[in-house]
Amino acid sequence: MSRSRLPLPAFHPADAGAAAETLPEWDLSALYASPDDPAIERDIDAAAKAASDLAGRAKGKLEALLKGPEGAAAFAALIADYEKLQDLLGKVMSYAGLLYSGDTTDPQRMKFYGDVQEKITAISSGLLFFELEINRIDDGLIEAGFADPALAHYRPWLTDIRLDKPYQLEDRVEELFHEKSITAYSAWNRLFDETIAGLRFPVDGEELAIEPTLHLLQEADPAKRKAAAEALGKVFGDNIGIFARITNTLAKDKEISDRWRGFKDIADSRHLANRVEREVVDALVEAVQAAYPRLSHRYYQLKARWMGGETMPYWDRNAPLPGAVTRQVPWVEAKATVLDAYGRFSPRMADIARRFFDEQWIDAPVRPGKSPGAFAHPTVPSAHPYVLLNYLGRTRDVMTLAHELGHGVHQVLAGRQGALMAPTPLTLAETASVFGEMLTFQSLLRSAATPAEKRTLLASKIEDMLNTVVRQIAFYSFERKVHAARREGELTADRINEAWLSVQGESLGPAITFGPGYETFWAYIPHFIHSPFYVYAYAFGDCLVNSLYAVFETAEAGFQDKYFAMLEAGGTKHHKELLQPFGLDASDPAFWQMGLSVIERMIGELEALDAEIARQR
């Protein structure tokens, strides 16, 4: 499942006007009618038969087939069959995953998800040979085959998977790794999800799930923020042993896999999956860390003064500013705001996004057991994406809607590349989402009626950008510390807590004070569990979009066409190829400075606006 945003604080649903609305729930019937739909078993059986048939025709025969009389055309036909099979398997697994995310505490959904996962894993184990065997074919033979248009269609995919060639193991070992995944990292992922969903946090006499508790951290009432923070710290602390066990196990599991495959750096497997060079990521990390004083330290010192002191407790980091102009945003208004912003950029973009509302591709309400945060799931090209939100009616929720719909638009456009080439590396997967968010923010800013309202919007956007860039690079640094230390032996919870506080202090600066309990806040971050080292993709995407939006603001006609061509490419092009039409290059250190300077400039604008408001008083 393609996860997007971390759970971000907003507010308590009991106080929300938005909670009284009837919010949309998704209709999964484009996949299957229900968990009891006979089509599920039929498709699983059909997939098993097709996988067995493909293995019979192809296993141990690919190179000979490519050299044979039908050559590249026959080889391309096999790839096309493999692609159809991947789409079918993905359809079944997508349905199980989406159904499970709607209530991760429901025993029936848990069982259904686990059973489907086991069946799909068993089938896909029999298909592992296909890509492994392709990577044993001589490069020259495959290159010659591209003269045939049918095989040339799959050039990006073949080029892409052959990047994995130095790290692949013999077939039986790959099969073992794959089959044991359901009792290894996948099982620990499920344990994490179910543990988090089952936790309850006592706040002011109520027992709250994690999502509404996190939302309280942006309440206007400081007592509520403090109570929520202390409840989070206490419950995380009471359960820190299990979170430490999950973290230790998954870090060791990754180390074993990396060692067998020959990866040198602890994040190299993620860089490879993202199709981005380690040097590019290192340049991003260094640029952001060097900018901490100019960005997060500067902003939080400013905010601390607004909050009435030289420092502020960690639970005030995402608090509303004193006197902030805030209001509830009904769902119908959120929808109109995002579609209008998208439409101003391109009617085509708004038309695609509108389908998510009209055809019930969005699940918006907060429900007990529902996955926290938000994501857009591409499912498979033969169906369509779905968006999960926990909508509570603040401006930040509107921005999250814009963010996830950006993912959805991207996934719809990339779907034409087919099941093998539609998926986009994580570093580029955030491009459309952050761009859609920026379009929506700029639209809201233009419509701000007063300097005070503009100040509120600007501060909120800066905080989101700091959460996306500075905080995610700090998360990446934390993961590096944990995974590096785990190679030396098992880590105590205290050791993990120390690593967390270290990177938080470095990144957030001296204006934020950390009280007892905050040392455990690493425990709820799902990306550490589901996708190690995923988090730098957020910073990559945000800085990329900042640079891209700067080009858009001064671009002549034709920008939109280039933008849609970039999204439609899916995973068929490297970041250098995708950015070249815009005159951008992520391998250039100046590229990251350009993106970071946008945040720095916005902080300067906020300071100037604040001074203007003070003069008017």
Side-chain angles (χ1 to χ4, degrees):
M1 186 170 295
S2 174
R3 286 194 174 268
S4 184
R5 288 205 151 182
L6 297 171
L8 289 176
F11 68 106
H12 186 342
D15 300 328
E21 291 187 283
T22 300
L23 298 175
E25 298 187 28
W26 54 29
D27 175 8
L28 300 180
S29 62
L31 299 169
Y32 297 100
S34 74
D36 300 321
D37 189 342
I40 295 174
E41 284 304 318
R42 285 200 301 269
D43 282 351
I44 291 174
D45 290 344
K49 183 177 183 303
S52 177
D53 177 66
L54 183 66
R57 289 184 290 134
K59 193 169 186 179
K61 305 171 186 176
L62 290 181
E63 183 164 351
L65 184 69
L66 191 53
K67 290 177 178 177
E70 297 181 38
F75 188 53
L78 275 181
I79 296 176
D81 289 343
Y82 177 73
E83 183 172 38
K84 290 176 187 175
L85 186 48
Q86 291 299 327
D87 190 283
L88 184 57
L89 292 170
K91 178 185 175 185
V92 179
M93 200 65 241
S94 293
Y95 178 74
L98 290 170
L99 189 74
Y100 173 68
S101 69
D103 185 354
T104 61
T105 62
D106 176 30
Q108 293 304 313
R109 296 190 190 208
M110 291 161 62
K111 174 176 168 50
F112 177 73
Y113 177 69
D115 288 347
V116 168
Q117 188 178 46
E118 286 187 17
K119 291 175 182 178
I120 298 302
T121 299
I123 295 169
S124 56
S125 292
L127 294 170
L128 285 177
F129 79 90
F130 196 74
E131 295 183 23
L132 297 173
E133 196 168 315
I134 286 174
N135 278 349
R136 288 197 292 269
I137 298 174
D138 180 75
D139 289 342
L141 187 59
I142 287 186
E143 191 62 35
F146 290 144
D148 185 291
L151 190 59
H153 169 74
Y154 290 106
R155 177 194 283 269
W157 178 71
L158 288 165
T159 301
D160 198 46
I161 66 168
R162 287 171 80 79
L163 294 175
D164 296 322
K165 187 175 181 177
Y167 308 102
Q168 74 180 40
L169 306 171
E170 59 181 285
D171 290 13
R172 292 288 289 167
V173 177
E174 291 286 0
E175 288 175 19
L176 179 64
F177 271 38
H178 185 70
E179 284 202 40
K180 284 188 68 65
S181 68
I182 59 173
T183 57
Y185 64 83
S186 292
W188 291 95
N189 285 180
R190 281 186 62 191
L191 177 62
F192 171 84
D193 288 343
E194 291 160 13
T195 301
I196 282 288
L199 293 181
R200 291 298 177 265
F201 303 85
V203 183
D204 295 337
E206 290 186 80
E207 295 287 323
L208 303 178
I210 189 167
E211 190 74 19
T213 310
L214 288 169
H215 286 321
L216 282 172
L217 295 178
Q218 207 184 1
E219 263 292 342
D221 184 348
K224 289 185 177 181
R225 295 196 299 271
K226 181 180 180 182
E230 290 177 345
L232 288 164
K234 168 115 180 21
V235 174
F236 290 154
D238 290 344
N239 293 273
I240 204 64
I242 193 167
F243 291 117
R245 169 63 55 211
I246 292 169
T247 300
N248 270 286
T249 302
L250 287 173
K252 184 62 179 178
D253 183 83
K254 184 178 184 303
E255 185 274 326
I256 292 169
S257 177
D258 285 355
R259 175 161 38 86
W260 274 69
R261 296 186 183 283
F263 288 110
K264 302 302 181 187
D265 183 78
I266 52 179
D268 274 353
S269 59
R270 175 61 62 197
H271 302 332
L272 179 66
N274 285 342
R275 300 314 189 226
V276 63
E277 300 75 16
R278 187 199 304 172
E279 296 74 20
V280 172
V281 177
D282 289 346
L284 164 66
V285 172
E286 289 168 12
V288 174
Q289 289 176 337
Y292 285 168
R294 307 194 309 273
L295 301 179
S296 48
H297 297 190
R298 175 185 175 191
Y299 175 77
Y300 292 128
Q301 285 171 346
L302 180 65
K303 183 169 184 176
R305 290 197 293 273
W306 288 336
M307 301 296 285
E310 290 301 310
T311 63
M312 60 182 177
Y314 68 90
W315 56 75
D316 283 349
R317 188 175 58 82
N318 285 306
L321 302 182
V325 179
T326 60
R327 65 184 183 88
Q328 299 301 120
V329 182
W331 176 256
V332 66
E333 183 181 337
K335 171 184 173 180
T337 297
V338 175
L339 292 180
D340 179 68
Y342 277 25
R344 286 173 183 267
F345 174 72
S346 166
R348 181 185 180 193
M349 189 172 181
D351 287 344
I352 297 171
R354 189 173 289 107
R355 295 186 65 192
F356 283 77
F357 298 96
D358 294 346
E359 300 179 37
Q360 293 180 263
W361 298 356
I362 301 175
D363 192 79
V366 176
R367 294 188 300 270
K370 182 177 176 180
S371 289
F375 63 73
H377 191 322
T379 72
V380 288
S382 62
H384 57 72
Y386 285 95
V387 164
L388 178 142
L389 305 169
N390 282 275
Y391 188 80
L392 291 167
R394 287 278 174 92
T395 301
R396 179 163 279 159
D397 297 311
V398 180
M399 301 298 286
T400 298
L401 173 62
H403 182 101
E404 299 307 336
L405 284 176
H407 277 304
V409 168
H410 193 176
Q411 291 160 358
V412 168
L413 290 168
R416 67 193 61 195
Q417 297 293 346
L420 297 181
M421 294 183 288
T424 306
L426 295 178
T427 42
L428 298 172
E430 294 298 328
T431 304
S433 55
V434 179
F435 193 84
E437 198 175 342
M438 180 65 85
L439 291 172
T440 304
F441 165 72
Q442 294 293 346
S443 179
L444 290 170
L445 197 63
R446 284 192 296 270
S447 64
T450 65
E453 187 177 344
K454 187 175 181 180
R455 172 182 178 262
T456 299
L457 285 167
L458 198 55
S460 179
K461 180 59 176 174
I462 290 168
E463 290 187 10
D464 277 349
M465 294 172 90
L466 293 178
N467 281 331
T468 304
V469 177
V470 168
R471 192 157 167 78
Q472 302 308 319
I473 292 302
F475 284 176
Y476 177 69
S477 299
F478 167 73
E479 285 189 278
R480 291 195 65 90
K481 284 177 179 285
V482 168
H483 282 258
R486 181 64 181 90
R487 292 190 172 192
E488 304 303 317
E490 188 160 310
L491 305 178
T492 64
D494 286 343
R495 180 85 179 274
I496 303 173
N497 292 347
E498 288 168 8
W500 173 256
L501 287 177
S502 170
V503 298
Q504 292 300 298
E506 177 188 351
S507 62
L508 299 179
I512 304 290
T513 59
F514 305 114
Y518 185 73
E519 71 279 359
T520 65
F521 271 48
W522 56 270
Y524 80 92
I525 309 298
H527 297 63
F528 298 159
I529 304 304
H530 291 283
S531 306
F533 304 108
Y534 177 112
V535 288
Y536 74 73
Y538 286 113
F540 193 111
D542 203 81
C543 288
L544 186 157
V545 167
N546 287 343
S547 300
L548 193 64
Y549 195 84
V551 172
F552 165 60
E553 288 183 308
T554 58
E556 299 176 358
F559 181 93
Q560 282 83 348
D561 291 339
K562 295 176 184 176
Y563 180 77
F564 284 117
M566 177 176 67
L567 301 189
E568 288 169 343
T572 64
K573 293 183 178 180
H574 187 263
H575 62 79
K576 276 186 175 291
E577 295 176 89
L578 290 172
L579 295 177
Q580 190 276 328
F582 303 98
L584 300 172
D585 181 1
S587 65
D588 181 354
F591 173 83
W592 302 116
Q593 296 300 334
M594 186 191 316
L596 295 171
S597 69
V598 171
I599 308 175
E600 192 171 1
R601 186 167 64 248
M602 289 176 72
I603 296 173
E605 291 173 11
L606 181 62
E607 289 172 332
L609 186 61
D610 191 59
E612 178 187 339
I613 293 171
R615 286 194 299 271
Q616 292 175 355
R617 287 176 182 151

